[in-house]
C-alpha cells in the first residue's frame, strides 16, 4: 500500500528511523551487553557516527554473515572500503568473525547482537556530542537504504508492491507526545519481531523505518555549545 500525505486532522506518525533508540549490534568491550541487545557507549557511538558504517552493520543484520567483497557489491563501494569499515566495526565490538563460514581465503563477518540501544533521553552529558553524530549517521543511512528500495519499486512482485507502504504524515505534536507515540510504535514492532528460524514460510527481511522529527525550519535550533 502506498500512502499519500494525510489530511491535517488525520493523526499518524511519519515513517522511518533505523534507530536512534534501537539499532542492532554485538558487544565486546565498547558496549554494555544484555542478552541479544547491546547498549551503545560513547566509543561505540563514535564508531557508528558514519552512515556507510551503519549500513554495513545493517546489511549484516538483515542478510546474515558476509565478506568485504559481497558487502562492497551490495553497497556499491570498493572492497577496500568495505574491509576498512568492517575492521572499524570489529574494533568497536559491534561485529565479530564467523569462523564457520567460508574457505579461509576471505574473512566472514557477522553482527553479534540482534539489537543495539541508544536512548538520547538518558545519555550522560559527555555522550551528547557522540550521540548526535550517531543520530545523524542513522538518518543519513536510512535515506540511502530508502533510495535503494525506491529503485526496486517498479519491479516488485505484486504481493509485495501491494503490501509495502511509503507514508509521510504531518502532525502537530509536543516532544512528550512524540516520545509516547514512539513507545507505542516500538511495542507494535516487538510483537512482530522474530528470528529468521521462527519466520513463517514466504517471509522475507522487511525494513521498517520509523522517523519522527520537527519539520525542518519550524523550531529554533541550538547552535551554541551542546
Amino acid at each position: 500500500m502506498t500512502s499519500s500525505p494525510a489530511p491535517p486532522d488525520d493523526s499518524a506518525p511519519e515513517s522511518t528511523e533505523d534507530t536512534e533508540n534501537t539499532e542492532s549490534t554485538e558487544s565486546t568491550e565498547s558496549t554494555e551487553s544484555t542478552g541479544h541487545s547491546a547498549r551503545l557507549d560513547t566509543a561505540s557511538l563514535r564508531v557508528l557516527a558514519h552512515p556507510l558504517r551503519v549500513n554495513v552493520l545493517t546489511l549484516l543484520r538483515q542478510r546474515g554473515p558476509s565478506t568485504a567483497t559481497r558487502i562492497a557489491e551490495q553497497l556499491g563501494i570498493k572492497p577496500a572500503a568495505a574491509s576498512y569499515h568492517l575492521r572499524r566495526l570489529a574494533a568497536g565490538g559491534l561485529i565479530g568473525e564467523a569462523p564457520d563460514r567460508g574457505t579461509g581465503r576471505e574473512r566472514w563477518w557477522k553482527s553479534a547482537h540482534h539489537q543495539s540501544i541508544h536512548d538520547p533521553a538518558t545519555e550522560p552529558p559527555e555522550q551528547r556530542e557522540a550521540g548526535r553524530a550517531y543520530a545523524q549517521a542513522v538518518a543519513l543511512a536510512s535515506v540511502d537504504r530508502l533510495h535503494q528500495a525506491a529503485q526496486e519499486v517498479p519491479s516488485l512482485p505484486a504481493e509485495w508492491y501491494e503490501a509495502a507502504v511509503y507514508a509521510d504524515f504531518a502532525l502537530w505534536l509536543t516532544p512528550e507526545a512524540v516520545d509516547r507515540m514512539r513507545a507505542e510504535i516500538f511495542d507494535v514492532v516487538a510483537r512482530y519481531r522474530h528470528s529468521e528460524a521462527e519466520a513463517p514460510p514466504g517471509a522475507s527481511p522487511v525494513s521498517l523505518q520509523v522517523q519522527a522529527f520537527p519539520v525542518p525550519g519550524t523550531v529554533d535550533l541550538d547552535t551554541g555549545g551542546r
Side-chain angles (χ1 to χ4, degrees):
M1 177 178 67
T2 303
S3 174
S4 303
D9 18 285
D10 269 4
S11 195
E14 167 164 349
S15 294
T16 59
E17 174 184 320
D18 193 67
T19 111
E20 238 282 86
N21 272 50
T22 76
E23 173 151 9
S24 315
T25 47
E26 172 131 339
S27 154
T28 55
E29 301 171 336
S30 64
T31 53
E32 178 189 341
S33 172
T34 307
H36 293 295
S37 298
R39 188 170 295 278
L40 301 177
D41 66 3
T42 304
S44 49
L45 287 170
R46 287 173 178 158
V47 169
L48 286 171
H50 192 296
L52 185 52
R53 215 164 287 151
V54 170
N55 277 337
V56 169
L57 183 58
T58 299
L59 195 59
L60 290 174
R61 293 181 195 134
Q62 292 178 342
R63 304 282 190 89
S66 192
T67 66
T69 300
R70 289 167 175 255
I71 288 172
E73 291 173 354
Q74 291 167 321
L75 296 182
I77 60 177
K78 294 181 179 179
S83 181
Y84 168 75
H85 289 299
L86 285 164
R87 291 196 305 270
R88 289 297 308 274
L89 290 167
L94 299 166
I95 67 173
E97 288 193 57
D100 55 327
R101 301 293 297 265
T103 61
R105 297 184 60 186
E106 189 168 18
R107 298 165 92 179
W108 283 72
W109 300 92
K110 62 181 180 179
S111 64
H113 287 83
H114 297 310
Q115 182 178 13
S116 58
I117 300 170
H118 172 245
D119 186 353
T122 60
E123 66 185 4
E126 66 272 13
Q127 200 178 82
R128 286 176 188 157
E129 183 177 354
R132 284 178 182 262
Y134 166 69
Q136 185 179 39
V138 167
L140 292 170
S142 297
V143 172
D144 288 342
R145 291 198 302 280
L146 185 58
H147 183 267
Q148 284 185 313
Q151 306 311 305
E152 295 190 352
V153 169
S155 303
L156 280 179
E159 63 271 22
W160 280 109
Y161 171 67
E162 293 164 8
V165 57
Y166 311 92
D168 187 6
F169 302 95
L171 308 177
W172 286 82
L173 300 172
T174 63
E176 293 77 16
V178 171
D179 192 50
R180 290 195 302 272
M181 181 177 66
R182 181 183 62 193
E184 292 173 15
I185 292 172
F186 283 7
D187 284 344
V188 172
V189 171
R191 297 205 301 268
Y192 286 87
R193 174 173 275 166
H194 44 64
S195 68
E196 181 179 356
E198 300 169 326
S204 293
V206 170
S207 176
L208 174 64
Q209 296 187 347
V210 180
Q211 298 170 353
F213 49 84
V215 172
T218 62
V219 299
D220 293 331
L221 301 180
D222 177 10
T223 56
R226 288 172 180 161

